[in-house]
């Protein structure tokens, strides 16, 4: 079992060292989704999809792209 604090440190370290890596892009995209900024999140998820190195991350990013498209369609274009 891994230590949650250590895992958080590892994530923070990766975000600092690879600001354009999958994890950094996916983290930012999730923040944008929570803010309701679906157009910006869509672009960020597309970038994360391209950066993903494994199938699971690609599928996750693809699903989030589809979700953002649905939210844009249902709730309109919200950029604030």
């Amino acid at each position: 079992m891994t230590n949650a604090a250590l895992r958080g440190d590892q994530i923070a370290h990766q975000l600092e060292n690879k600001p354009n890596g999958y994890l950094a892009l996916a983290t930012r995209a999730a923040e944008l989704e929570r803010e309701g900024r679906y157009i910006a999140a869509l672009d960020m998820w597309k970038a994360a999809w391209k950066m993903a190195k494994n199938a699971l991350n690609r599928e996750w990013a693809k699903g989030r792209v589809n979700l953002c498209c649905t939210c844009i369609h249902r709730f309109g274009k919200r950029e604030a």
Side-chain angles (χ1 to χ4, degrees):
M1 180 176 249
T2 60
N3 182 338
L6 181 60
R7 180 75 176 130
D9 290 346
Q10 290 171 344
I11 290 171
H13 180 70
Q14 184 175 351
L15 290 174
E16 289 172 7
N17 290 335
K18 291 185 175 181
N20 294 322
Y22 172 81
L23 182 59
L25 293 168
T27 300
R28 182 63 185 134
E31 291 169 358
L32 291 167
E33 276 187 37
R34 285 191 292 274
E35 294 170 7
R37 298 177 59 199
Y38 299 111
I39 295 172
L42 175 67
D43 293 337
M44 200 66 63
W45 279 120
K46 285 180 180 178
W49 187 4
K50 292 177 185 176
M51 291 296 296
K53 294 189 188 305
N54 66 53
L56 185 63
N57 288 345
R58 279 191 298 274
E59 280 300 310
W60 180 259
K62 180 181 174 183
R64 301 316 289 184
V65 165
N66 291 335
L67 176 81
C68 288
C69 288
T70 299
C71 290
I72 290 167
H73 178 73
R74 286 187 183 169
F75 307 125
K77 298 178 180 179
R78 183 171 168 209
E79 288 289 328

